Amino acid sequence: MSIEDIGCCGAYCGTCPVIRAGACRGCKTGYRSGERDISRARCRIKICCIRKGYQSCADCTDYESCGTIQEFHHRNGYKYKKYREAIVFIIGNGYDRFLKITDGWKNQVGPY
Ligand code: SF4
Ligand code: SF4
């Protein structure tokens, strides 16, 4: 479990077998080191977070007023609600507590 496995939007990639097999670098890994080029990324949430030096939108003081993340987090579908729950949890409790909880998860979202 690593903070690198937390997607900028709150999706948790640390449980994914593809990442564990080393076949995917997930949302964030490689941008800070220069191995990946953020100008080639397509996700607006990720582009914004990485350019601002954040680990996720939980670090952003504009989270509640940001149309980009709020539109994403309020889409129809269970996973979007859970991504929002993850970011709100991290804002209130920090990354370490979030990562401890994800220890028991089987998917990119899970119970608290
Ligand atoms: S939707 Fe964007 S921010 Fe969320 S995990 Fe995927 S690339 Fe990262
Ligand atoms: S909340 Fe919005 S402005 Fe803040 S880092 Fe995320 S996408 Fe960017």
Side-chain angles (χ1 to χ4, degrees):
M1 63 185 185
S2 156
I3 200 165
E4 282 293 310
D5 294 329
I6 305 170
C8 294
C9 64
Y12 181 64
C13 301
T15 53
C16 177
V18 182
I19 280 200
R20 288 185 168 172
C24 172
R25 286 179 288 185
C27 177
K28 298 184 305 204
T29 302
Y31 290 107
R32 287 182 181 83
S33 65
E35 289 167 60
R36 289 164 91 188
D37 180 358
I38 194 62
S39 69
R40 301 185 64 177
R42 285 183 293 180
C43 172
R44 287 195 300 151
I45 301 165
K46 168 159 84 175
I47 292 167
C48 186
C49 262
I50 299 286
R51 288 203 166 136
K52 288 179 170 163
Y54 298 155
Q55 288 290 349
S56 79
C57 292
D59 298 338
C60 182
T61 52
D62 295 330
Y63 171 72
E64 290 295 344
S65 60
C66 170
T68 303
I69 193 66
Q70 293 300 329
E71 181 275 324
F72 185 77
H73 278 170
H74 287 90
R75 286 182 188 176
N76 281 332
Y78 178 73
K79 68 180 182 182
Y80 301 108
K81 188 176 99 156
K82 294 298 284 184
Y83 297 162
R84 173 174 169 75
E85 188 178 27
I87 292 295
V88 170
F89 183 90
I90 294 165
I91 290 170
N93 300 279
Y95 288 104
D96 287 348
R97 280 194 64 196
F98 178 75
L99 286 169
K100 281 197 181 82
I101 284 169
T102 63
D103 252 355
W105 289 6
K106 302 271 188 281
N107 297 300
Q108 62 189 3
V109 299
Y112 288 79

